[in-house]
Amino acid sequence: MRTPARWRLGAVTAVGLGALVTGSLPGGAARAQEADAALTYACRLPSGTSQEVGVRVRGTFPATGTAGRPVRPGRVTATVTIPEAAPSEVGALGGASVAGIAELGVSVRQNGRAAQATWPGLTTPATPVADGADLVLAASGDVPPVTPAGTGDLTFTAGDLALELSPRDAHGGIPADAKPAITIGCEPSGEHVLAAVPVAGGADPARPAPPNAAPPETVPPETAPPKTGKRAAAGAPGETPAECGRFTGPDDDWYPGCVYLSGFSNVTKLKGAAILNDPESGRPALTNLVYSLTDTGASVRQRFVSPLRSRSTFLTFGFMPTTATMEMTQRPLGPGEDYGTFEAVSDMQTGIQSVSAHMRMSIRISDVSVNGTPLDVGGNCRTATDADIALKGRMTSVLEGGMLDGSFSIPRFTGCGAGEDLGPLFNGTVSGPGNLLRVSLGATCIPDADISCPPVVPTPARTAPPPATG
C-alpha cells in the first residue's frame, strides 16, 4: 500500500454548508430540516503529520423549537473520505477492513452566546481497505437533545472530530493478530454551520422564561442549577424528564423507561474517590433504557442521555490538593453494537436476580487547579482508549434498583496540556488498574404505565449492603 505525500480531497470538496432545506407537508405542517454540509478538516495522524480531509455531515433537525423543551436532532452521519491509497497508519493495522468510532464536537449558539456539546459514539461498519481506492467511512448514530432556555435561532456548528480506527478481517471480525486501534484528531478549517432551528416562546406559564434568557443548556450542561440543599430534589425534576423513554429496542418486545444512578469511583493511585453523577455538580445524567422480560429474568439495554460529571479534590503525591472535573462519556461496546447492557438472571428458589452490567466510557479531565492555582490542561485531556467496565450485583429486581460493584482500569491519557505535555503527570498519578466502581441504581421509571415516575436520584452507597435474600 503506497503512501501519498499528501491526501487530496476526493469526491467531497465543497467547503461550508451544502444544503439546509426546510419543506412542508400537505396541509402546511412544517417538516424537519435536512442538513447536508460538506466540510474540510485538518487531521493529525498518529505519526504527527497533518493532512487535509473531506467530511460530509448529514442529519435531520426540527423545523422549529420551543423554549424550555428539548430540540432533538435526528440520526447524524459523518462521512470521512480518505482518498486513494489510505495512509500508512491505516494500512499498518493489518486487517482487510477497518471499523471506527467517531466523536464530533458541536457548538450550540443562541442570542450571541455559545455552549459546547459532543456527539459521541458515531460508529462505522467494517469497511474494506483497498490499495488505490478511497477509504469512505460513514459514522452514524443518535445524538443528544439540546434544551434552549429562551427564544431565538439555535445554531449548530461543527467542531473538532476524533476518529478511532480498529482492524477487522474480511468478514468484519477481529483478526487474531489485531493491532491496537489508532486515533486521528481533526480540526475544522473555518466555521461550518450545520443547522439553525428557530425557537419560539412556550415555557410553562407557571415558570416563564426571563426576557433576556440564558444561553442554551446543552447536554452536558455548562452550569449547575441552583442548589436546593436536598440531593434528590436537586437531581430529580418535579415531573418525568422529557427525554425519558426516548430509546427504542430491536422489536416490540422491548419496553422503554429511564433511571438515575449514582455512586463512587475510586482512583487507587490517589487513595481517594470521586462521586459519580454528582447532582451537586450540575444536573445529573439520566439513563434511558429498554428492557425485555426473559424466561430467566430480564435483559436491559441502556444509554446515558448525557455524560456523567463530577468534581473532586485529591491529594496528589499525598500532600498537594488537586481539584478537577471528571467527565465520563459512554461509548458503544463495539462498532454498531449496544452502548450498555444489563443481564438479570433470577434464582429459581429465591427469586433474587444476579445482575451483570457492561459498558465502555471515555474519561475527560478539565478545570484543574493545584493548590488553588489553575492548571491549563487544554480542552481535550482524555483517556487514549475507552475504559472497559464490568459490574455485578444481586437485587430483588433490576427494575426496582440496587447496587452494582466492579473494578476497572483507567487508561493512559492523551491531549493534556496547552503549552506542555501533561500526559505523564496524569498517567503517573491517575492511570492504572484496580479502581473500584460502586453504582446505586434507582427504580426504573416506566412512563407508559406511570410506574416509579418521576425517577429519583439514589443516595450513593459507600459500603456494600448484605447480599439480597429471599
Side-chain angles (χ1 to χ4, degrees), residues 64-69 71 109-113 147-155 197-203 208-217:
T64 59
T66 302
R69 298 180 182 176
V71 172
R109 293 188 177 91
Q110 188 181 46
N111 300 326
R113 303 180 70 179
T147 301
T151 61
D153 285 355
L154 194 66
T155 303
V197 179
V199 176
N212 298 316
E217 180 179 85

Side-chain angles (χ1 to χ4, degrees), residues 452-465:
S452 300
C453 298
V456 175
V457 182
T459 301
R462 292 180 179 272
T463 58

Side-chain angles (χ1 to χ4, degrees), residues 91 342 376:
F342 289 77
D376 190 355

Side-chain angles (χ1 to χ4, degrees), residues 254 290-301 341-346 353-356 397-399:
W254 294 77
V290 289
Y291 68 93
S292 176
L293 302 180
T294 65
D295 292 339
T296 57
S299 185
V300 180
R301 300 293 178 264
T341 61
F342 289 77
E343 299 296 337
V345 178
S346 299
Q353 291 184 341
S354 296
V355 179
S356 299
S397 168
V398 68
L399 298 181

